[in-house]
Amino acid sequence: MTRELLGACYTSNPALLAWVQEMVNLCEPKEVFWCNGSPEETKALTEQAVSQGVLIRLNQQKLPGCYYHRSNPNDVARVEQSTYICTVDEEQAGPTNNWMAPKQMYQKLRGYCAGAMRGRTMYVIPYLMGPPGSPLAKVGIELTDSIYVALSMGVMTRMGELACQQLGNSDEFNRGLHCMLDINPERRYIAHFPQDNAIISVGSNYGGNVLLGKKCLALRIGSYLGRQEGWLAEHMLILCIESPAGEKTYVAAAFPSACGKTNFAMLVPPARFEGWKVTTIGDDIAWMKPGPDGRLYAINPEAGYFGVVPGTNSKSNPNAVQMISHDTIYTNVALTPDLDVWWEGKDGPVPAQCLDWKGNAWTPESREKAAHPNSRFTSPMANNPVLAPEADDPAGVPISAIIFGGRRANTMPLVYQAFNWVHGVYIGATMGSETTAASAGSTGQVRRDPMAMLPFCGYHMGDYFRHWINMRRLIKHPPRIFQVNWFRKGDQGDYLWPGFGENMRVLKWMIDRCHGRIDAQETLLGWMPNPQTFDLEGIRGFTSQQFDQVQALREEEWRREIVSQQELFMQLYSHLPKELIFQRELLMARL
Ligand code: OXD
Ligand code: MN
């Protein structure tokens, strides 16, 4: 490797240097830039991105440290149809993933990447997923020709020299290569090679496809490694509930994309819960492993939030409003004439005019949305006013409750508790949710999204369920498992539950259940709150009849639900744990 190609390299790890050299030979960049993660470097890269037109500096009086980015209009969401799990055998990837043989995929993508960085800079991004020193943390190296990716990875991960320090001379790191190419959907592939701990992403510059630490490493490759190594990589937020007396309870919750995980992770308890605090450990991903005391411990592998912007306001998430008011990258929101940002559902007046996410003139009369429904903020977790100090604890936090939640207009009650771990796995495995804008394709249709992992499981979904069931043996004190649904609607199409901060009531019920402090009613679905002891005091205009409605168990709807689970069970049948088949039978029998 020549000196220029090495750039300001600060590692002597032979496996890392050899791999970078190999990729340099393949992609032929004009220069190689080793990101060290320092504030000076971020400043310099930001300046460069502004001068290249990749970022627009926003109004620094209103939004200090904030920048604006527009992606190619053909590249605004994750692309499941272009996402591949390239295991040696197709069977290992399972029927819910796209598959191609590793050899064939390497050949195809190396063909695309050959010379793809000519005249461009290759950024070398060493990053650490998880708190430094954590036994659960993993190192990845992303090579990219996108300055937007380099800057975003600096926000979303612990990036730079500390990752190389954690790695030492080991060759155990994720090898991630990203080439933007010409952002052409025809040449867009997000390819995972779990058996090589490697990722190649081409033809996109949208976060979920190209910030390789997030969905690609922390979930798809992570879930594969977790099965081999005895831990769980999950699409879950992690939060802490602290009582006025200082008792802390930790909860992990899986919801499909764009179902309010970030809002829930930063929830502000209503006045009724004076003295209670909710703090955030993570908003999207949890890595969980049994600890020496027999409890399940979780870390958030990320260091920032890549959240959906539309609908963020002082009612839905006052903490996020504060969080994204500084040092944030906005992608695909609308831009006002004074270089402020706007989106549907923002506090305050609708601007008389602005540029929409594509850069076209927009007025309130325009028919299209000003901000893309999947427009995003990228903010460091340090910005979060309710960040839990435990987010940096290498040991992680002991989880008392696991929540599964979908977006369901009917059928699913607000909350119920599983009878036991295997029943909880069945509840998670059969989760359904209406599709959202976080993934390309039509929205609003119910699809099975087991544990919110359908787009993120790096191996056969049936084996993943088996792994969940097996984990029970490794956890002496398993978390209690719950199902929630904030989105149930009445006959008029109105939401039955006020949601947002009021979800604290559901959280409180769940942690009281975990601590054995509140009664519940046994129903055919599971344990449900007793309406007499569930705390509804102080919700304006909400009656106990409305609570009955949001908890209602309609047998007709459940018959349909069970029938519609059949499709998933048939699809996974050859790898489906018997326990789940029995759970479904038992539910049918109870019905
Ligand atoms: C995300 C997603 O960006 O799930 O977190 O799509
Ligand atoms: Mn997510």
Side-chain angles (χ1 to χ4, degrees):
M1 192 182 290
T2 65
R3 271 202 76 67
E4 310 84 85
L5 287 184
L6 258 175
C9 170
Y10 49 76
T11 175
S12 55
N13 180 311
L16 174 51
L17 290 175
W19 176 66
V20 174
Q21 178 68 73
E22 193 193 330
M23 294 303 109
V24 165
N25 294 347
L26 176 71
C27 303
E28 301 178 35
K30 86 169 186 293
E31 60 179 2
V32 177
F33 186 94
W34 286 73
C35 297
N36 65 23
S38 69
E40 298 73 32
E41 176 183 277
T42 306
K43 195 159 173 264
L45 288 180
T46 304
E47 290 303 321
Q48 227 173 306
V50 170
S51 67
Q52 292 171 5
V54 172
L55 292 181
I56 293 175
R57 180 173 287 109
L58 290 167
N59 184 323
Q60 297 295 296
Q61 261 79 50
K62 287 184 162 179
L63 296 164
C66 291
Y67 292 83
Y68 178 80
H69 174 75
R70 260 188 212 116
S71 74
N72 188 309
N74 78 29
D75 185 37
V76 293
R78 284 182 292 98
V79 278
E80 289 171 20
Q81 71 279 14
S82 311
T83 301
Y84 284 76
I85 302 295
C86 304
T87 41
V88 174
D89 293 322
E90 182 167 6
E91 181 83 5
Q92 293 169 304
T96 57
N97 284 312
N98 299 308
W99 176 84
M100 197 187 284
K103 197 164 158 227
Q104 207 183 336
M105 187 62 99
Y106 276 130
Q107 199 174 21
K108 185 181 188 76
L109 299 190
R110 282 187 184 141
Y112 288 159
C113 293
M117 295 190 190
R118 268 180 218 151
R120 305 174 59 76
T121 302
M122 173 191 275
Y123 299 91
V124 182
I125 304 169
Y127 63 95
L128 180 64
M129 299 306 285
S134 172
L136 266 166
K138 300 262 179 216
V139 173
I141 313 288
E142 176 164 358
L143 309 179
T144 176
D145 57 352
S146 163
I147 195 169
Y148 169 74
V149 167
L151 285 164
S152 302
M153 286 294 283
V155 176
M156 295 302 297
T157 70
R158 293 157 174 100
M159 185 249 260
E161 293 185 39
L162 90 177
C164 283
Q165 278 156 16
Q166 176 113 358
L167 184 62
N169 265 347
S170 163
D171 66 352
E172 246 186 71
F173 57 90
N174 179 270
R175 289 153 169 80
L177 173 63
H178 167 234
C179 292
M180 290 198 284
L181 310 182
D182 53 352
I183 313 290
N184 176 353
E186 303 282 308
R187 297 204 298 166
R188 185 167 296 157
Y189 287 89
I190 324 298
H192 305 73
F193 305 89
Q195 285 138 335
D196 301 339
N197 193 6
I199 305 158
I200 303 180
S201 169
V202 297
S204 171
N205 201 32
Y206 167 74
N209 299 328
V210 298
L211 307 179
L212 300 184
K214 194 176 180 61
K215 302 303 183 181
C216 301
L217 171 53
L219 290 177
R220 299 194 190 98
I221 299 280
S223 60
Y224 182 91
L225 296 176
R227 180 178 175 224
Q228 287 182 325
E229 298 168 2
W231 53 279
L232 294 164
E234 299 302 326
H235 193 201
M236 291 182 182
L237 65 95
I238 312 165
L239 59 78
C240 170
I241 303 140
E242 187 174 345
S243 75
E247 176 195 66
K248 288 182 168 186
T249 308
Y250 300 95
V251 168
F255 295 82
S257 308
C259 286
K261 281 208 296 298
T262 307
N263 294 348
F264 190 45
M266 299 169 78
L267 178 150
V268 178
R272 164 86 179 132
F273 290 83
E274 205 193 327
W276 288 81
K277 271 197 299 206
V278 171
T279 54
T280 320
I281 288 103
D283 82 323
D284 195 41
I285 297 171
W287 283 356
M288 303 194 285
K289 189 176 184 166
D293 62 357
R295 292 190 290 174
L296 186 63
Y297 280 78
I299 61 162
N300 169 17
E302 301 189 280
Y305 309 129
F306 179 66
V308 176
V309 180
T312 303
N313 56 48
S314 47
K315 176 167 181 241
S316 65
N317 194 339
N319 286 317
V321 170
Q322 218 178 307
M323 176 172 84
I324 63 179
S325 66
H326 64 103
D327 303 298
T328 291
I329 303 172
Y330 287 91
T331 302
N332 291 341
V333 294
L335 190 61
T336 66
D338 64 343
L339 295 179
D340 194 355
V341 283
W342 189 79
W343 54 83
E344 280 75 12
K346 191 184 182 186
D347 290 323
V350 176
Q353 53 170 318
C354 63
L355 295 179
D356 71 8
W357 65 277
K358 291 183 193 160
N360 298 324
W362 185 95
T363 67
E365 284 71 48
S366 301
R367 260 193 278 144
E368 305 226 339
K369 297 224 187 285
H372 188 277
N374 192 37
S375 51
R376 297 279 177 148
F377 58 76
T378 310
S379 281
M381 71 177 183
N383 272 20
N384 178 357
V386 292
L387 179 69
E390 295 92 324
D392 273 318
D393 188 340
V397 294
I399 298 296
S400 295
I402 289 177
I403 303 171
F404 294 115
R407 179 186 286 274
R408 295 296 298 269
N410 51 45
T411 315
M412 281 299 158
L414 175 65
V415 61
Y416 66 93
Q417 181 187 350
F419 292 124
N420 53 43
W421 180 266
V422 176
H423 182 222
V425 174
Y426 166 73
I427 288 173
T430 52
M431 234 170 89
S433 194
E434 291 154 23
T435 47
T436 67
S439 169
S442 59
T443 58
Q445 259 128 43
V446 174
R447 73 165 181 181
R448 294 286 139 206
D449 189 352
M451 290 158 177
M453 283 289 281
L454 184 68
F456 307 120
C457 186
Y459 60 102
H460 197 298
M461 195 51 102
D463 296 337
Y464 167 76
F465 297 157
R466 166 56 57 207
H467 178 50
W468 260 86
I469 289 172
N470 288 350
M471 283 297 291
R472 172 66 184 88
R473 275 188 248 135
L474 306 176
I475 313 168
K476 188 156 174 232
H477 306 292
R480 304 286 186 260
I481 300 181
F482 300 84
Q483 164 96 44
V484 302
N485 176 24
W486 316 135
F487 303 96
R488 195 167 191 179
K489 288 182 175 170
D491 298 336
Q492 313 304 321
D494 46 327
Y495 287 111
L496 289 173
W497 174 247
F500 304 116
E502 301 299 352
N503 293 339
M504 179 67 196
R505 295 165 192 274
V506 179
L507 264 179
K508 174 71 171 35
W509 182 77
M510 291 189 281
I511 66 167
D512 282 343
R513 289 294 298 161
C514 293
H515 296 301
R517 288 196 291 240
I518 198 165
D519 64 330
Q521 295 177 338
E522 186 179 332
T523 71
L524 57 89
L525 293 184
W527 295 101
M528 282 200 184
N530 175 350
Q532 267 79 56
T533 52
F534 188 88
D535 188 349
L536 291 173
E537 202 177 308
I539 315 185
R540 201 144 31 100
F542 193 82
T543 62
S544 58
Q545 286 76 18
Q546 280 167 295
F547 187 69
D548 293 343
Q549 248 186 315
V550 75
Q551 280 296 106
L553 199 167
R554 298 196 203 290
E555 294 188 5
E556 262 314 295
E557 292 178 340
W558 274 93
R559 279 198 195 98
R560 275 200 297 275
E561 178 73 10
I562 292 182
V563 169
S564 84
Q565 292 171 0
Q566 182 72 9
E567 202 177 322
L568 178 78
F569 276 30
M570 296 271 279
Q571 194 186 20
L572 302 178
Y573 195 78
S574 59
H575 290 237
L576 193 65
K578 285 273 183 299
E579 289 89 330
L580 299 188
I581 298 171
F582 297 152
Q583 285 295 332
R584 184 162 170 266
E585 291 283 328
L586 284 171
L587 177 56
M588 272 193 259
R590 293 197 293 269
L591 263 170

